[in-house]
Amino acid sequence: VPFQIDPIIPFQGNEDFTRISPLRRIPVFIDGQVTLGDSTAIGEYLDERYPLPLLFPKMPAARAQARWLEEFADSRMGDVFIWRIFNVAVIRPAVLKQPRDDAAIGETLRDEPPPIMDYLESVAPGDGFACGDLALADIAIAVHFANLRWSRTAADLSPWPKTIAWIDRVERTPALAKLTSLAERAMTVRRAEWRALYGEMGIALSETTYAGQGFRKGPMSV
Amino acid sequence: VPFQIDPIIPFQGNEDFTRISPLRRIPVFIDGQVTLGDSTAIGEYLDERYPLPLLFPKMPAARAQARWLEEFADSRMGDVFIWRIFNVAVIRPAVLKQPRDDAAIGETLRDEPPPIMDYLESVAPGDGFACGDLALADIAIAVHFANLRWSRTAADLSPWPKTIAWIDRVERTPALAKLTSLAERAMTVRRAEWRALYGEMGIALSETTYAGQGFRKGPMSV
């Protein structure tokens, strides 16, 4: 499915950004039919518009489990890995120029990931992916571990080897490996250079942009 | 679709409750195929298993908009109407025996609902429902307003008349009206009498129960 990217920072979009994403979050997906500001709704829509590759399994029970895992990743893992770890370790220091609070990160690491990891270990497949073929659920879960690495904490995940092996398989899939590599390269250059970098990596860029200046939570952000 | 209910309080389930609902939340849906602890996944599954009534519109673009609105209800409205209002006004005083914090409620009411209501007013249909026929999105949004009433606050929603009229239409649909009436009657009796009340109202009850004693957030609750 061909696509163009507009690389922007959530909460930093321009005035029009609030119109396409009421919570001023990313991702936002736009085509001739819809404008969607939620990754789950985007995944479901792509699955209905484009027959292959499947983003959710075909059979209702497996689809339901995949949706549950994806929701678990978005809500529960997002709360811990994005808001309580990555936000404190990376976003606040970089964007809001607040000092990194390693005490808070340490406390969160002690209390929060273990039950999440225990649960993932209970659903982690011994081989392949969580619901058969690679699905959005695997990706939604895996990306939190990239955020954890980028947070440069002392998190020790060795007690959950099935989960580590599963996430490793997901991260090695070509599409996600390409995206992770792009993200890691983007972190090494300034924002003004993102478009050049993306172009260099063969990713099509949108002509218009919703990028804005300065952090603004907007009327309804988290 | 025939069903049986096990009336329990979230976070107060027994030990088995954690197994069927890792976040110890409700609703949980169980049939011979799946055990699902998330309302969105339940709705999607029911839509696939039972052709009618549709819980989501049929056409991809309308389905996508319905999913976005349902997500908006679950995440953004849930954060404000459940966690920051109903939780402070009703749950904490009743369950945790903490005093009701009217100052916090007043501050939340001043800042949080207006942008949410502005957004709902922008998507509220002048007639009928948000995506054509009644859909899960309408119900997911409407139930927050029952929680707001039950919180007994001084919230004034008159600046958003299209939204009020839309929610009123949703609340008058027979299925939701029956459920709201059940909830309001349940509030007037003790928990030990719930099963008798439900039976009296013609609602089938499950033989087994996941009810537990005492508030316990469990390993991964919010």
Side-chain angles (χ1 to χ4, degrees):
Chain A
V1 179
F3 63 92
Q4 299 176 329
I5 279 187
D6 174 23
I8 69 170
I9 299 176
F11 309 119
Q12 296 203 27
N14 60 23
E15 288 303 315
D16 281 342
F17 184 51
T18 303
R19 183 176 52 73
I20 63 166
S21 180
L23 305 180
R24 295 180 68 80
R25 293 191 190 185
I26 60 169
V28 181
F29 174 88
I30 304 173
D31 70 4
Q33 306 285 317
V34 297
T35 297
L36 294 171
D38 175 70
S39 62
T40 306
I42 293 167
E44 298 269 10
Y45 176 76
L46 290 173
D47 221 31
E48 288 170 359
R49 284 296 296 262
Y50 304 98
L52 287 173
L54 279 177
L55 294 180
F56 292 91
K58 272 205 159 176
M59 300 304 290
R63 279 179 89 80
Q65 174 69 1
R67 284 184 174 120
W68 155 252
L69 290 176
E70 206 259 348
E71 164 64 20
F72 181 80
D74 283 2
S75 295
R76 182 60 192 150
M77 294 184 72
D79 182 43
V80 172
F81 288 78
I82 301 285
W83 296 111
R84 300 185 62 179
I85 299 176
F86 187 71
N87 183 39
V88 177
V90 178
I91 299 178
R92 282 193 207 164
V95 178
L96 304 179
K97 309 299 178 200
Q98 292 174 1
R100 173 172 162 133
D101 187 345
D102 277 302
I105 296 168
E107 204 173 308
T108 299
L109 279 178
R110 187 193 65 206
D111 297 339
E112 300 291 344
I116 291 173
M117 296 302 298
D118 287 345
Y119 179 67
L120 292 179
E121 195 77 356
S122 78
V123 298
D127 196 9
F129 303 106
C131 307
D133 292 328
L134 180 71
L136 190 57
D138 302 286
I139 295 170
I141 290 167
V143 292
H144 288 301
F145 291 89
N147 275 295
L148 185 62
R149 283 196 302 275
W150 299 332
S151 301
R152 299 178 189 281
T153 72
D156 173 17
L157 303 181
S158 63
W160 302 281
K162 273 178 75 180
T163 304
I164 292 177
W166 165 36
I167 299 308
D168 188 56
R169 289 193 295 277
V170 179
E171 292 195 314
R172 286 169 190 271
T173 56
L176 187 54
K178 181 177 176 184
L179 195 66
T180 306
S181 152
L182 175 65
E184 285 174 349
R185 286 189 59 184
M187 285 179 221
T188 67
V189 304
R190 289 179 314 149
R191 185 175 165 175
E193 292 158 16
W194 281 359
R195 290 198 151 236
L197 172 68
Y198 283 35
E200 200 179 291
M201 290 187 73
I203 291 170
L205 291 157
S206 65
E207 277 179 42
T208 55
T209 181
Y210 290 91
Q213 291 299 322
F215 185 88
R216 189 162 66 78
K217 291 187 76 184
M220 286 192 295
S221 52
V222 287
Chain B
V1 180
F3 63 92
Q4 300 175 330
I5 279 188
D6 174 23
I8 69 170
I9 298 175
F11 308 120
Q12 296 203 27
N14 61 23
E15 287 303 315
D16 281 342
F17 184 52
T18 304
R19 185 176 50 75
I20 64 166
S21 181
L23 305 180
R24 295 180 68 80
R25 294 191 189 186
I26 59 169
V28 181
F29 174 89
I30 304 173
D31 69 5
Q33 307 284 318
V34 296
T35 297
L36 294 172
D38 175 69
S39 62
T40 306
I42 293 167
E44 299 269 8
Y45 176 75
L46 290 173
D47 221 30
E48 287 170 1
R49 284 294 295 261
Y50 304 98
L52 288 173
L54 280 176
L55 294 179
F56 292 91
K58 273 204 157 176
M59 301 304 290
R63 279 179 88 79
Q65 173 69 2
R67 284 184 174 121
W68 155 252
L69 290 176
E70 207 259 348
E71 164 65 19
F72 181 79
D74 284 2
S75 296
R76 181 61 191 150
M77 293 185 73
D79 182 45
V80 172
F81 288 78
I82 300 285
W83 296 110
R84 302 186 59 179
I85 299 176
F86 187 72
N87 183 39
V88 177
V90 178
I91 299 177
R92 283 194 208 163
V95 179
L96 303 181
K97 311 298 178 198
Q98 293 175 0
R100 174 173 161 133
D101 188 344
D102 278 303
I105 296 168
E107 204 173 309
T108 300
L109 280 178
R110 186 194 65 207
D111 297 339
E112 300 291 344
I116 290 174
M117 296 302 299
D118 286 346
Y119 179 67
L120 291 179
E121 195 77 357
S122 80
V123 297
D127 197 7
F129 303 107
C131 307
D133 291 329
L134 180 72
L136 190 59
D138 301 287
I139 295 170
I141 290 168
V143 292
H144 287 300
F145 291 90
N147 275 296
L148 185 62
R149 284 197 302 276
W150 299 333
S151 301
R152 299 178 187 281
T153 71
D156 173 18
L157 303 181
S158 62
W160 303 281
K162 274 179 74 180
T163 304
I164 292 177
W166 165 37
I167 299 308
D168 188 57
R169 288 192 296 277
V170 180
E171 292 195 314
R172 285 168 190 272
T173 57
L176 187 54
K178 181 178 176 184
L179 195 66
T180 306
S181 153
L182 175 65
E184 285 175 348
R185 285 188 61 185
M187 284 180 221
T188 67
V189 304
R190 288 180 315 152
R191 184 176 164 176
E193 294 158 14
W194 281 359
R195 289 199 152 234
L197 172 68
Y198 283 35
E200 202 179 291
M201 290 187 76
I203 291 170
L205 291 158
S206 66
E207 277 179 41
T208 55
T209 180
Y210 291 90
Q213 291 300 321
F215 184 89
R216 189 162 66 78
K217 290 187 78 185
M220 285 191 296
S221 51
V222 287

